[in-house]
Amino acid sequence: MPDDIFGDPLPEQGRPNRLNAPSRHQFQDAVDKLLVPSSDALEEAFRSYAARQALEQGLFPSGVPKVWSRPERRQLLVGDATVPRAISKARKSATVDESTGVLRNPRVDPAARVYYENGEKAKREVRGTKWFFASGRSDGYWTRLILSFAYVAGGEYEDEAAVAERQFTMLKDVLPDCMGVVYDGALRGIHRDALARRGMLAINKQHGSVTPVFYEHIKLCRSGHELWCNEGRIAESISLDDGTRILAPVPITKLEPRLGITKSRWYHVLRIACRHGDHTHRVPVGITTTPADRALRQAGSGKRPKSDRERGFHRAELLQQIPQSTLAHQLVYPYRADSESVHAQFDQSLWNRRMVAYGMERQKVFVLGFSLAQNATSHQIHLEGRSNAQTVSGLA
Protein backbone atom coordinates (compact mmCIF):
# COMPACT_ATOMS: atom_id res chain seq x y z
CA MET A 1 0.00 0.00 0.00
CA PRO A 2 1.24 3.53 -0.69
CA ASP A 3 2.49 5.58 2.18
CA ASP A 4 0.19 8.52 1.20
CA ILE A 5 -3.46 7.82 0.39
CA PHE A 6 -3.48 10.87 -1.91
CA GLY A 7 -0.69 9.47 -4.06
CA ASP A 8 2.81 10.61 -4.87
CA PRO A 9 3.25 14.07 -6.45
CA LEU A 10 3.97 14.39 -10.16
CA PRO A 11 7.56 14.98 -11.16
CA GLU A 12 8.48 18.62 -11.66
CA GLN A 13 8.69 18.39 -15.44
CA GLY A 14 5.24 16.72 -15.75
CA ARG A 15 3.33 18.98 -13.41
CA PRO A 16 0.92 21.37 -15.24
CA ASN A 17 1.68 24.99 -14.55
CA ARG A 18 -1.69 26.78 -14.54
CA LEU A 19 -0.17 30.18 -13.85
CA ASN A 20 1.24 30.52 -17.36
CA ALA A 21 -1.17 31.58 -20.09
CA PRO A 22 -0.80 30.28 -23.66
CA SER A 23 1.95 31.96 -25.59
CA ARG A 24 1.17 34.20 -28.54
CA HIS A 25 2.39 31.49 -30.90
CA GLN A 26 0.05 28.93 -29.30
CA PHE A 27 -2.87 31.34 -29.51
CA GLN A 28 -2.23 32.18 -33.15
CA ASP A 29 -1.85 28.50 -34.00
CA ALA A 30 -5.19 27.69 -32.34
CA VAL A 31 -6.92 30.53 -34.20
CA ASP A 32 -5.54 29.45 -37.57
CA LYS A 33 -6.05 25.70 -37.18
CA LEU A 34 -9.15 25.45 -34.99
CA LEU A 35 -11.25 28.61 -34.95
CA VAL A 36 -10.91 30.05 -38.47
CA PRO A 37 -11.82 26.78 -40.27
CA SER A 38 -14.89 26.47 -38.03
CA SER A 39 -15.93 30.14 -38.06
CA ASP A 40 -19.08 29.59 -40.14
CA ALA A 41 -20.24 26.71 -37.95
CA LEU A 42 -19.47 28.73 -34.82
CA GLU A 43 -21.47 31.68 -36.16
CA GLU A 44 -24.48 29.45 -36.81
CA ALA A 45 -24.20 27.86 -33.35
CA PHE A 46 -23.91 31.29 -31.77
CA ARG A 47 -27.09 32.50 -33.48
CA SER A 48 -29.02 29.47 -32.24
CA TYR A 49 -27.68 29.73 -28.70
CA ALA A 50 -28.31 33.50 -28.52
CA ALA A 51 -31.94 32.97 -29.59
CA ARG A 52 -32.46 30.42 -26.79
CA GLN A 53 -30.86 32.78 -24.29
CA ALA A 54 -33.15 35.61 -25.43
CA LEU A 55 -36.24 33.48 -24.83
CA GLU A 56 -34.95 32.43 -21.39
CA GLN A 57 -34.43 36.08 -20.45
CA GLY A 58 -37.98 37.03 -21.41
CA LEU A 59 -37.35 38.62 -24.80
CA PHE A 60 -39.87 38.06 -27.62
CA PRO A 61 -42.45 36.46 -25.29
CA SER A 62 -45.32 34.44 -26.71
CA GLY A 63 -47.90 34.96 -23.98
CA VAL A 64 -48.30 38.74 -24.11
CA PRO A 65 -50.60 40.86 -26.30
CA LYS A 66 -49.19 42.24 -29.56
CA VAL A 67 -50.11 45.85 -30.21
CA TRP A 68 -48.83 46.39 -33.73
CA SER A 69 -49.03 50.18 -33.56
CA ARG A 70 -47.10 50.32 -30.25
CA PRO A 71 -44.76 47.29 -29.95
CA GLU A 72 -42.69 46.94 -26.80
CA ARG A 73 -38.93 47.19 -26.80
CA ARG A 74 -38.53 43.50 -25.91
CA GLN A 75 -40.65 42.52 -28.93
CA LEU A 76 -38.41 44.19 -31.53
CA LEU A 77 -35.04 43.54 -33.12
CA VAL A 78 -32.61 46.43 -33.51
CA GLY A 79 -29.86 46.42 -36.11
CA ASP A 80 -27.18 48.52 -37.76
CA ALA A 81 -23.68 48.17 -39.19
CA THR A 82 -20.44 49.79 -38.10
CA VAL A 83 -16.98 50.16 -39.67
CA PRO A 84 -14.03 49.82 -37.28
CA ARG A 85 -10.85 51.22 -38.75
CA ALA A 86 -8.44 48.84 -40.44
CA ILE A 87 -5.57 47.44 -38.39
CA SER A 88 -3.09 48.96 -40.84
CA LYS A 89 -3.17 52.25 -42.72
CA ALA A 90 -1.26 50.70 -45.61
CA ARG A 91 -3.19 50.24 -48.85
CA LYS A 92 -0.39 48.84 -51.03
CA SER A 93 1.86 45.89 -50.30
CA ALA A 94 4.89 47.68 -51.79
CA THR A 95 5.70 51.37 -51.42
CA VAL A 96 8.78 53.52 -52.06
CA ASP A 97 9.92 56.19 -49.64
CA GLU A 98 10.19 59.33 -51.78
CA SER A 99 12.93 60.88 -49.64
CA THR A 100 15.23 57.85 -49.29
CA GLY A 101 14.12 55.58 -52.12
CA VAL A 102 13.84 52.64 -49.74
CA LEU A 103 11.36 49.94 -50.80
CA ARG A 104 8.95 49.08 -48.01
CA ASN A 105 6.59 46.13 -47.77
CA PRO A 106 3.93 47.00 -45.20
CA ARG A 107 1.29 44.46 -44.27
CA VAL A 108 -2.10 45.21 -45.81
CA ASP A 109 -5.46 44.05 -44.49
CA PRO A 110 -7.02 42.15 -47.44
CA ALA A 111 -10.55 42.68 -46.11
CA ALA A 112 -10.33 46.45 -45.66
CA ARG A 113 -12.07 48.76 -48.11
CA VAL A 114 -13.62 52.23 -48.16
CA TYR A 115 -17.13 52.63 -46.77
CA TYR A 116 -19.33 55.67 -46.24
CA GLU A 117 -21.17 56.34 -42.97
CA ASN A 118 -23.66 58.91 -41.62
CA GLY A 119 -26.19 58.61 -44.44
CA GLU A 120 -26.50 60.31 -47.79
CA LYS A 121 -26.33 63.96 -46.67
CA ALA A 122 -23.28 63.87 -44.38
CA LYS A 123 -21.16 61.10 -45.85
CA ARG A 124 -17.98 60.27 -43.96
CA GLU A 125 -15.31 58.08 -45.55
CA VAL A 126 -14.02 55.26 -43.38
CA ARG A 127 -11.58 52.53 -44.37
CA GLY A 128 -11.96 49.21 -42.62
CA THR A 129 -14.36 46.27 -42.48
CA LYS A 130 -18.08 46.66 -41.98
CA TRP A 131 -19.88 44.44 -39.47
CA PHE A 132 -23.61 44.16 -38.96
CA PHE A 133 -25.09 43.48 -35.50
CA ALA A 134 -28.67 42.57 -34.59
CA SER A 135 -29.68 42.78 -30.94
CA GLY A 136 -32.63 42.79 -28.59
CA ARG A 137 -33.18 43.96 -25.04
CA SER A 138 -35.76 44.69 -22.37
CA ASP A 139 -36.13 47.90 -20.39
CA GLY A 140 -33.54 46.98 -17.75
CA TYR A 141 -29.85 47.90 -17.72
CA TRP A 142 -27.30 45.50 -19.23
CA THR A 143 -30.04 43.29 -20.66
CA ARG A 144 -29.00 43.67 -24.30
CA LEU A 145 -28.27 40.50 -26.24
CA ILE A 146 -26.42 40.33 -29.54
CA LEU A 147 -28.45 37.85 -31.57
CA SER A 148 -26.59 37.89 -34.88
CA PHE A 149 -23.61 39.42 -36.65
CA ALA A 150 -22.40 39.36 -40.24
CA TYR A 151 -19.67 40.76 -42.46
CA VAL A 152 -20.80 43.31 -45.07
CA ALA A 153 -18.62 42.97 -48.14
CA GLY A 154 -20.10 45.68 -50.37
CA GLY A 155 -19.57 49.37 -49.88
CA GLU A 156 -23.06 50.59 -50.84
CA TYR A 157 -25.99 51.06 -48.48
CA GLU A 158 -27.96 48.53 -50.55
CA ASP A 159 -25.38 45.87 -49.68
CA GLU A 160 -25.75 46.56 -45.96
CA ALA A 161 -29.55 46.47 -46.19
CA ALA A 162 -29.48 43.15 -48.07
CA VAL A 163 -27.31 41.59 -45.35
CA ALA A 164 -29.60 42.99 -42.65
CA GLU A 165 -32.67 41.60 -44.39
CA ARG A 166 -31.16 38.09 -44.55
CA GLN A 167 -30.11 38.17 -40.89
CA PHE A 168 -33.52 39.40 -39.71
CA THR A 169 -35.24 36.72 -41.77
CA MET A 170 -33.09 33.98 -40.22
CA LEU A 171 -33.80 35.33 -36.73
CA LYS A 172 -37.53 35.33 -37.43
CA ASP A 173 -37.33 31.56 -38.01
CA VAL A 174 -36.02 30.96 -34.47
CA LEU A 175 -37.90 33.86 -32.81
CA PRO A 176 -41.45 33.46 -34.16
CA ASP A 177 -42.92 36.03 -31.75
CA CYS A 178 -40.60 38.81 -32.89
CA MET A 179 -42.86 41.63 -34.10
CA GLY A 180 -40.43 43.56 -36.25
CA VAL A 181 -37.18 45.44 -36.67
CA VAL A 182 -35.94 48.98 -36.09
CA TYR A 183 -33.31 50.20 -38.55
CA ASP A 184 -32.00 53.37 -40.13
CA GLY A 185 -32.64 54.78 -43.60
CA ALA A 186 -30.52 52.10 -45.32
CA LEU A 187 -33.63 49.90 -45.53
CA ARG A 188 -35.52 50.76 -48.69
CA GLY A 189 -38.84 49.56 -50.03
CA ILE A 190 -37.53 46.29 -51.48
CA HIS A 191 -36.14 45.29 -48.08
CA ARG A 192 -39.22 46.41 -46.14
CA ASP A 193 -41.32 44.40 -48.59
CA ALA A 194 -39.43 41.18 -47.79
CA LEU A 195 -39.75 41.72 -44.03
CA ALA A 196 -43.44 42.66 -44.20
CA ARG A 197 -44.19 39.48 -46.15
CA ARG A 198 -42.69 37.52 -43.25
CA GLY A 199 -45.07 39.21 -40.83
CA MET A 200 -42.61 41.74 -39.42
CA LEU A 201 -42.80 45.47 -38.90
CA ALA A 202 -40.05 47.42 -40.63
CA ILE A 203 -39.66 50.65 -38.66
CA ASN A 204 -37.24 53.18 -40.11
CA LYS A 205 -37.11 56.69 -41.51
CA GLN A 206 -38.34 57.45 -45.00
CA HIS A 207 -35.58 58.04 -47.54
CA GLY A 208 -35.07 61.70 -48.43
CA SER A 209 -35.40 61.07 -52.18
CA VAL A 210 -39.04 59.93 -51.94
CA THR A 211 -41.47 62.54 -53.30
CA PRO A 212 -45.31 62.70 -53.18
CA VAL A 213 -47.02 60.35 -55.65
CA PHE A 214 -50.66 60.29 -56.73
CA TYR A 215 -52.48 57.23 -55.35
CA GLU A 216 -56.14 57.23 -56.43
CA HIS A 217 -59.34 59.24 -56.69
CA ILE A 218 -62.15 57.63 -54.73
CA LYS A 219 -65.83 58.42 -55.18
CA LEU A 220 -67.37 57.56 -51.82
CA CYS A 221 -69.67 60.58 -51.97
CA ARG A 222 -70.76 63.31 -54.40
CA SER A 223 -67.58 65.36 -53.96
CA GLY A 224 -64.97 62.57 -54.13
CA HIS A 225 -61.50 62.55 -52.58
CA GLU A 226 -58.07 62.72 -54.22
CA LEU A 227 -55.52 60.66 -52.30
CA TRP A 228 -51.73 60.91 -52.52
CA CYS A 229 -48.77 59.09 -50.96
CA ASN A 230 -46.75 61.53 -48.86
CA GLU A 231 -44.31 60.99 -45.98
CA GLY A 232 -44.98 57.27 -45.88
CA ARG A 233 -48.77 57.53 -45.54
CA ILE A 234 -51.95 58.50 -47.39
CA ALA A 235 -52.71 62.22 -47.61
CA GLU A 236 -55.65 64.03 -49.18
CA SER A 237 -55.19 66.84 -51.66
CA ILE A 238 -57.21 69.83 -50.43
CA SER A 239 -57.76 73.07 -52.36
CA LEU A 240 -57.31 76.36 -50.50
CA ASP A 241 -58.97 79.72 -51.09
CA ASP A 242 -55.84 81.17 -52.70
CA GLY A 243 -55.84 78.52 -55.41
CA THR A 244 -53.05 76.37 -53.95
CA ARG A 245 -53.34 72.81 -52.75
CA ILE A 246 -51.94 71.06 -49.69
CA LEU A 247 -51.53 67.40 -48.79
CA ALA A 248 -53.28 66.84 -45.46
CA PRO A 249 -52.47 63.51 -43.71
CA VAL A 250 -55.51 61.23 -43.46
CA PRO A 251 -56.00 59.85 -39.90
CA ILE A 252 -55.11 56.17 -39.52
CA THR A 253 -57.50 54.47 -37.11
CA LYS A 254 -55.89 51.01 -37.22
CA LEU A 255 -52.87 49.11 -38.50
CA GLU A 256 -54.44 45.85 -39.59
CA PRO A 257 -52.14 42.85 -40.20
CA ARG A 258 -53.30 39.66 -41.85
CA LEU A 259 -50.56 37.24 -40.94
CA GLY A 260 -49.95 34.07 -42.90
CA ILE A 261 -47.44 31.24 -42.80
CA THR A 262 -45.70 32.08 -46.07
CA LYS A 263 -47.03 35.57 -46.80
CA SER A 264 -48.67 38.35 -44.79
CA ARG A 265 -50.58 41.49 -45.71
CA TRP A 266 -50.83 44.87 -44.00
CA TYR A 267 -53.52 47.55 -44.21
CA HIS A 268 -54.16 51.06 -42.95
CA VAL A 269 -57.77 51.67 -41.98
CA LEU A 270 -58.35 55.36 -42.77
CA ARG A 271 -60.97 57.81 -41.59
CA ILE A 272 -61.50 60.36 -44.37
CA ALA A 273 -63.21 63.51 -43.14
CA CYS A 274 -66.03 64.69 -45.40
CA ARG A 275 -68.85 67.24 -45.20
CA HIS A 276 -71.24 64.45 -46.22
CA GLY A 277 -70.04 62.26 -43.36
CA ASP A 278 -66.74 60.59 -42.58
CA HIS A 279 -65.69 57.60 -44.69
CA THR A 280 -63.77 54.47 -43.74
CA HIS A 281 -61.28 53.33 -46.36
CA ARG A 282 -58.75 50.47 -46.25
CA VAL A 283 -55.40 50.81 -48.04
CA PRO A 284 -52.72 48.07 -48.39
CA VAL A 285 -49.28 49.14 -47.15
CA GLY A 286 -45.79 47.74 -46.78
CA ILE A 287 -45.85 45.25 -49.67
CA THR A 288 -45.47 45.85 -53.40
CA THR A 289 -47.71 43.26 -55.03
CA THR A 290 -46.51 41.18 -57.98
CA PRO A 291 -48.49 39.33 -60.71
CA ALA A 292 -48.25 36.19 -58.55
CA ASP A 293 -50.10 38.05 -55.76
CA ARG A 294 -52.91 38.92 -58.17
CA ALA A 295 -53.64 35.43 -59.50
CA LEU A 296 -57.34 35.55 -58.56
CA ARG A 297 -59.70 37.06 -61.11
CA GLN A 298 -62.65 39.37 -60.47
CA ALA A 299 -66.01 37.63 -60.25
CA GLY A 300 -67.88 40.04 -62.53
CA SER A 301 -65.43 40.72 -65.35
CA GLY A 302 -63.21 37.67 -65.06
CA LYS A 303 -60.14 39.88 -65.41
CA ARG A 304 -57.13 39.74 -63.17
CA PRO A 305 -56.48 43.08 -61.40
CA LYS A 306 -53.12 44.65 -62.15
CA SER A 307 -50.43 44.32 -59.52
CA ASP A 308 -48.38 47.21 -58.15
CA ARG A 309 -45.37 46.10 -60.15
CA GLU A 310 -47.36 46.08 -63.40
CA ARG A 311 -48.63 49.57 -62.60
CA GLY A 312 -45.11 50.80 -61.76
CA PHE A 313 -46.20 51.66 -58.21
CA HIS A 314 -43.65 50.93 -55.47
CA ARG A 315 -46.04 50.60 -52.54
CA ALA A 316 -43.44 49.34 -50.05
CA GLU A 317 -41.31 52.42 -50.70
CA LEU A 318 -44.16 54.93 -50.53
CA LEU A 319 -46.43 53.57 -47.77
CA GLN A 320 -44.86 52.52 -44.47
CA GLN A 321 -46.50 50.30 -41.88
CA ILE A 322 -45.75 52.88 -39.17
CA PRO A 323 -45.30 56.22 -40.98
CA GLN A 324 -42.47 58.48 -39.91
CA SER A 325 -44.67 61.49 -39.16
CA THR A 326 -46.77 59.71 -36.50
CA LEU A 327 -46.56 59.59 -32.70
CA ALA A 328 -46.17 55.81 -32.78
CA HIS A 329 -43.02 56.16 -34.88
CA GLN A 330 -41.62 58.83 -32.57
CA LEU A 331 -42.11 56.51 -29.58
CA VAL A 332 -40.68 53.35 -31.16
CA TYR A 333 -37.89 54.58 -33.43
CA PRO A 334 -35.64 55.78 -30.54
CA TYR A 335 -35.09 52.09 -29.72
CA ARG A 336 -32.60 52.17 -32.60
CA ALA A 337 -30.16 53.94 -30.25
CA ASP A 338 -29.42 50.50 -28.77
CA SER A 339 -27.43 49.68 -31.90
CA GLU A 340 -25.20 52.71 -31.31
CA SER A 341 -24.43 51.37 -27.82
CA VAL A 342 -23.34 48.07 -29.35
CA HIS A 343 -21.06 49.92 -31.76
CA ALA A 344 -19.57 52.05 -28.97
CA GLN A 345 -18.72 49.00 -26.86
CA PHE A 346 -17.33 47.23 -29.90
CA ASP A 347 -15.02 50.17 -30.67
CA GLN A 348 -13.89 50.36 -27.04
CA SER A 349 -12.95 46.68 -27.08
CA LEU A 350 -10.45 47.35 -29.90
CA TRP A 351 -6.89 48.53 -29.38
CA ASN A 352 -6.74 52.18 -30.44
CA ARG A 353 -10.20 51.66 -31.97
CA ARG A 354 -8.65 49.62 -34.79
CA MET A 355 -9.31 46.03 -35.79
CA VAL A 356 -6.94 43.59 -34.10
CA ALA A 357 -6.67 41.00 -36.87
CA TYR A 358 -5.93 40.76 -40.59
CA GLY A 359 -8.51 39.23 -42.93
CA MET A 360 -12.22 38.71 -42.60
CA GLU A 361 -11.96 35.14 -41.26
CA ARG A 362 -9.76 36.06 -38.29
CA GLN A 363 -11.80 39.18 -37.60
CA LYS A 364 -14.95 37.07 -37.47
CA VAL A 365 -13.40 35.09 -34.61
CA PHE A 366 -12.81 38.31 -32.69
CA VAL A 367 -16.36 39.56 -33.37
CA LEU A 368 -17.69 36.21 -32.14
CA GLY A 369 -15.70 36.55 -28.92
CA PHE A 370 -16.97 40.10 -28.40
CA SER A 371 -20.58 38.99 -28.89
CA LEU A 372 -20.18 36.07 -26.48
CA ALA A 373 -18.71 38.39 -23.84
CA GLN A 374 -21.62 40.82 -24.17
CA ASN A 375 -24.18 38.05 -23.91
CA ALA A 376 -22.38 36.48 -20.94
CA THR A 377 -22.59 39.79 -19.09
CA SER A 378 -26.30 40.08 -19.87
CA HIS A 379 -26.89 36.49 -18.70
CA GLN A 380 -25.11 37.13 -15.40
CA ILE A 381 -27.15 40.28 -14.77
CA HIS A 382 -30.30 38.29 -15.52
CA LEU A 383 -29.33 35.56 -13.03
CA GLU A 384 -28.54 38.11 -10.33
CA GLY A 385 -31.85 39.87 -10.89
CA ARG A 386 -33.76 36.61 -10.66
CA SER A 387 -31.87 35.60 -7.51
CA ASN A 388 -32.58 38.96 -5.87
CA ALA A 389 -36.28 38.66 -6.78
CA GLN A 390 -36.45 35.19 -5.20
CA THR A 391 -34.75 36.48 -2.06
CA VAL A 392 -37.20 39.36 -1.73
CA SER A 393 -40.20 37.07 -2.25
CA GLY A 394 -38.82 34.65 0.37
CA LEU A 395 -38.47 37.44 2.91
CA ALA A 396 -42.02 38.61 2.23
Side-chain angles (χ1 to χ4, degrees):
M1 295 182 63
D3 297 334
D4 191 342
I5 62 174
F6 295 105
D8 295 330
L10 293 172
E12 190 68 27
Q13 64 272 18
R15 187 181 304 170
N17 191 347
R18 303 184 182 276
L19 298 180
N20 294 336
S23 65
R24 178 176 177 83
H25 173 74
Q26 292 172 329
F27 169 76
Q28 297 288 1
D29 187 66
V31 170
D32 292 335
K33 295 183 178 179
L34 298 177
L35 296 180
V36 170
S38 306
S39 59
D40 293 337
L42 290 172
E43 180 185 353
E44 185 65 27
F46 166 80
R47 190 182 298 109
S48 176
Y49 180 80
R52 293 198 301 270
Q53 182 180 345
L55 296 177
E56 292 175 359
Q57 293 186 198
L59 301 181
F60 313 105
S62 58
V64 299
K66 294 182 178 180
V67 183
W68 292 100
S69 59
R70 299 285 178 87
E72 301 179 33
R73 185 195 295 265
R74 60 177 178 170
Q75 296 174 317
L76 294 171
L77 291 168
V78 176
D80 200 3
T82 184
V83 184
R85 293 183 297 174
I87 186 173
S88 171
K89 294 182 180 181
R91 303 194 181 193
K92 296 180 180 181
S93 58
T95 60
V96 178
D97 192 325
E98 296 180 357
S99 58
T100 63
V102 176
L103 179 65
R104 302 181 183 275
N105 300 103
R107 191 173 180 182
V108 180
D109 184 2
R113 61 163 299 158
V114 174
Y115 296 90
Y116 294 95
E117 293 187 323
N118 296 345
E120 297 286 349
K121 295 182 178 180
K123 283 186 177 182
R124 181 171 63 92
E125 183 179 302
V126 182
R127 184 176 179 275
T129 50
K130 178 177 281 192
W131 292 93
F132 164 84
F133 292 94
S135 62
R137 60 164 291 187
S138 62
D139 292 328
Y141 291 102
W142 291 99
T143 59
R144 183 186 303 106
L145 283 175
I146 296 177
L147 299 169
S148 181
F149 63 87
Y151 169 67
V152 181
E156 302 297 331
Y157 291 116
E158 291 80 3
D159 301 319
E160 174 191 335
V163 171
E165 176 200 323
R166 289 195 297 269
Q167 295 295 318
F168 289 142
T169 301
M170 287 190 291
L171 288 174
K172 178 64 175 178
D173 294 334
V174 294
L175 299 170
D177 291 292
C178 170
M179 293 181 62
V181 306
V182 186
Y183 211 80
D184 59 14
L187 284 185
R188 299 298 298 269
I190 187 173
H191 312 110
R192 297 200 296 247
D193 179 284
L195 297 174
R197 289 177 182 271
R198 290 298 308 272
M200 303 174 71
L201 292 168
I203 305 168
N204 73 326
K205 289 188 175 182
Q206 190 75 321
H207 198 270
S209 63
V210 179
T211 58
V213 174
F214 173 76
Y215 182 67
E216 65 177 345
H217 185 89
I218 56 175
K219 198 73 174 176
L220 301 176
C221 57
R222 289 177 295 175
S223 56
H225 300 272
E226 184 177 315
L227 303 182
W228 286 65
C229 301
N230 186 38
E231 297 182 349
R233 62 187 298 177
I234 291 295
E236 183 179 2
S237 178
I238 299 177
S239 300
L240 301 180
D241 296 338
D242 58 0
T244 60
R245 303 178 71 88
I246 63 170
L247 296 178
V250 177
I252 304 170
T253 60
K254 184 180 181 181
L255 173 61
E256 185 178 280
R258 296 182 183 178
L259 305 179
I261 299 177
T262 59
K263 183 176 65 176
S264 302
R265 297 183 182 276
W266 301 81
Y267 297 89
H268 281 174
V269 180
L270 308 177
R271 188 183 73 250
I272 303 176
C274 180
R275 57 177 178 169
H276 302 291
D278 293 352
H279 309 296
T280 299
H281 189 55
R282 182 178 285 102
V283 173
V285 298
I287 295 176
T288 303
T289 57
T290 63
D293 300 324
R294 290 288 184 261
L296 297 179
R297 298 182 179 273
Q298 297 177 349
S301 62
K303 296 181 179 180
R304 180 181 62 82
K306 286 186 176 182
S307 65
D308 293 335
R309 184 171 296 178
E310 292 172 316
R311 295 165 47 204
F313 180 72
H314 201 341
R315 188 182 300 271
E317 182 77 23
L318 298 171
L319 295 175
Q320 297 175 282
Q321 295 157 302
I322 299 183
Q324 180 177 339
S325 59
T326 59
L327 176 61
H329 189 279
Q330 295 173 2
L331 294 175
V332 176
Y333 186 74
Y335 296 160
R336 199 196 73 82
D338 291 338
S339 62
E340 302 298 338
S341 299
V342 174
H343 297 168
Q345 294 198 5
F346 183 56
D347 290 339
Q348 291 173 5
S349 67
L350 303 172
W351 180 82
N352 201 23
R353 295 182 178 268
R354 288 186 177 274
M355 254 301 173
V356 293
Y358 288 90
M360 185 271 293
E361 294 80 7
R362 295 172 64 87
Q363 293 178 18
K364 180 185 288 189
V365 174
F366 175 79
V367 175
L368 173 63
F370 165 78
S371 302
L372 288 171
Q374 294 294 310
N375 290 1
T377 302
S378 177
H379 182 61
Q380 182 63 29
I381 296 297
H382 172 71
L383 293 180
E384 292 178 359
R386 186 169 61 182
S387 176
N388 294 337
Q390 292 175 350
T391 302
V392 172
S393 62
L395 294 175

